[in-house]
């Protein structure tokens, strides 16, 4: 989706603020010879930014507004290397709450709801974002933070929480605990707002059926406000994102080329009004696509598909970008096979070959199953793989997703 005039004017304004402040990123733009953007073509010439660039700005190099206007910082979890510090002005904090309240509204949540928040508070953007949005909406917040399952369930029953905000793994843990304790009839939950890490359809179905709730995927990342920049509506056809606050592009992660709507690639985000730390063409490394056309809910906000994984997972086979999650999704549609699979990519006689190993029981015709799976995979990724069906238990068991893909090519 090409950047529109209004968005372009906002980007131009952010670029001049970045340069004027002499912030880390402003200097980078200046070095690249950027002074302004006047056309969509100019915009496409802007350099991408990456997490590693932001790390270099540690601690406060990203600060673009005057210090007296900065009211808070957040930090991305620096499990590897230096963390990224993002300064927020009062307006940034308010904008984030406005976007978050819009997320709740899009999920059909109102000021009559009681929202139990289980993501963490503190440097991390999650908990406080869920809370600020809920307060703005006028709902009742139950700010639990993570862990302490006994207390969570006690409050959930006593206060009759109607909305659960959680990561998918914690939502699943709570669902299993509720079932184990036989307290489902005491739980009044109607909806779950779940952080948009990649989670399988099977997990989603389990949480939804065990808790008897509708699930909503909320998207966001610390570098860009935090969670709350997009969420799916009840039509469940992708996440609406707020294009008055962010401009989204999808690029080929290998070449950096901007892809047309509908094609899968890396999400790149430009903030349009952020003051504390504006970001221009920030590479998220999250994989998705822009869903073309308008949602049947009638909202005009564009849509991103469910996050399909990370760019690091991408494989280029026969010139086509393939993601393990695409294969996994196709395989998930076959009830005859187990949850285990293995993908092997090799290069023989000048050609790439993809073999997919799946498991089934002796009750099924291996050859027929192999043919059906190959056809389905082809319709999804564009070329036909070799599908090898083996007996259940033959494939190695591993907790790690990466071990499922073995690239034997020499290049
Ligand atoms: Zn919609």
């Amino acid at each position: 989706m090409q950047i529109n005039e209004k968005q372009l004017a906002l980007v131009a304004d952010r670029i001049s603020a970045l340069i004027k402040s002499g912030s880390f990123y402003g200097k980078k733009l200046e070095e690249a010879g950027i002074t302004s953007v006047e056309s969509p073509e100019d915009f496409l010439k802007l350099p991408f930014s990456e997490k590693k660039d932001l790390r270099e700005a540690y601690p406060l190099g990203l600060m673009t507004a005057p210090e007296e206007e900065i009211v808070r910082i957040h930090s991305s979890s620096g499990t590897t290397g230096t963390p990224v510090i993002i300064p927020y002005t009062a307006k940034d904090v308010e904008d984030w709450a406005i976007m978050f309240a819009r997320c709740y509204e899009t999920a059909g949540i109102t000021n009559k709801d009681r929202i139990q928040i289980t993501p963490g508070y503190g440097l991390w953007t999650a908990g406080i974002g869920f809370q600020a949005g809920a307060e703005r909406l006028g709902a009742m917040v139950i700010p639990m933070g993570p862990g302490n399952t006994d207390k969570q369930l006690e409050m959930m029953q006593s206060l009759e929480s109607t909305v659960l905000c959680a990561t998918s793994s914690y939502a699943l843990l709570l669902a299993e605990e509720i079932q184990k304790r036989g307290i489902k009839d005491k739980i009044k939950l109607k909806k779950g707002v779940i952080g948009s890490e990649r989670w399988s359809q099977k997990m989603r179905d389990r949480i939804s059926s065990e808790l008897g709730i509708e699930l909503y995927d909320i998207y966001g990342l610390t570098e860009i406000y935090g969670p709350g920049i997009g969420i799916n509506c009840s039509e469940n056809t992708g996440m609406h994102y707020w294009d008055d606050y962010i401009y989204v592009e999808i690029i080929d992660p290998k070449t950096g080329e901007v892809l047309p709507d509908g094609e899968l690639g890396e999400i790149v985000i430009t903030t349009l009004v952020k003051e504390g730390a504006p970001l221009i063409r920030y590479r998220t490394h999250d994989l998705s696509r822009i869903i073309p056309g308008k949602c049947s809910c009638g909202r005009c906000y564009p849509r991103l598909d469910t996050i399909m994984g990370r760019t690091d997972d991408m494989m280029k086979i026969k010139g086509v970008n393939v993601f393990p999650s695409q294969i996994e999704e196709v395989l998930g549609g076959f009830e005859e096979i187990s949850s285990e699979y293995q993908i092997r990519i090799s290069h023989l006689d000048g050609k790439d070959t993809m073999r997919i190993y799946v498991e089934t029981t002796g009750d099924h015709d291996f050859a027929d199953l192999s043919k059906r799976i190959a056809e389905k995979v082809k319709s999804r990724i564009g070329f036909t793989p070799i599908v090898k069906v083996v007996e259940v238990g033959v494939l190695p068991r591993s907790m790690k997703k990466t071990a499922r893909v073995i690239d034997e090519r020499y290049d």
Side-chain angles (χ1 to χ4, degrees), residues 106 232-238 240 295-299 301 303:
T106 305
N232 58 295
C233 64
S234 56
E235 300 293 307
N236 212 0
T237 53
H240 287 283
C295 182
S296 44
C297 75
R299 286 180 184 85
Y301 296 110
R303 287 167 297 160

Side-chain angles (χ1 to χ4, degrees), residues 215-226:
L215 296 175
Y216 293 86
D217 267 328
I218 195 156
Y219 183 58
L221 53 165
T222 303
E223 295 85 345
I224 317 277
Y225 296 100

Side-chain angles (χ1 to χ4, degrees), residues 143-258:
M144 298 298 296
N148 202 347
T149 301
D150 284 339
K151 188 86 183 161
Q152 298 274 6
L153 294 176
E154 189 192 311
M155 296 295 260
M156 195 180 280
Q157 294 172 78
S158 316
L159 288 165
E160 304 186 341
S161 311
T162 57
V163 176
L164 173 68
C165 300
T167 60
S168 55
S169 43
Y170 197 56
L172 182 64
L173 188 147
L174 286 173
E176 285 173 342
E177 209 51 44
I178 286 165
Q179 197 204 31
K180 208 157 60 179
R181 299 182 190 198
I183 52 171
K184 194 178 168 188
D185 58 332
K186 298 196 180 92
I187 301 294
K188 301 282 188 274
L189 289 178
K190 288 191 292 225
K191 289 169 193 214
V193 178
I194 309 293
S196 67
E197 58 198 3
R198 194 168 80 78
W199 45 318
S200 68
Q201 191 57 43
K202 275 186 180 153
M203 191 167 176
R204 183 185 297 266
D205 292 346
R206 229 171 126 207
I207 298 170
S208 163
S209 71
E210 289 199 359
L211 291 175
I213 59 175
E214 284 169 24
L215 296 175
Y216 293 86
D217 267 328
I218 195 156
Y219 183 58
L221 53 165
T222 303
E223 295 85 345
I224 317 277
Y225 296 100
I229 60 177
I231 195 167
N232 58 295
C233 64
S234 56
E235 300 293 307
N236 212 0
T237 53
M239 302 181 285
H240 287 283
Y241 63 86
W242 317 131
D243 62 347
D244 43 352
Y245 289 90
I246 55 167
Y247 174 64
V248 173
E249 299 167 275
I250 301 292
I251 64 164
D252 181 318
K254 285 249 161 75
T255 64
E257 178 202 355
V258 177

Side-chain angles (χ1 to χ4, degrees), residues 14-44:
R14 290 302 80 207
I15 286 176
S16 65
L18 279 161
I19 294 172
K20 196 174 141 220
S21 72
S23 68
F24 173 84
Y25 196 52
K27 279 186 198 137
K28 278 214 148 184
L29 289 172
E30 222 171 4
E31 276 165 26
I34 310 280
T35 49
S36 188
V37 283
E38 273 151 28
S39 65
E41 293 72 36
D42 284 353
F43 181 83
L44 292 176

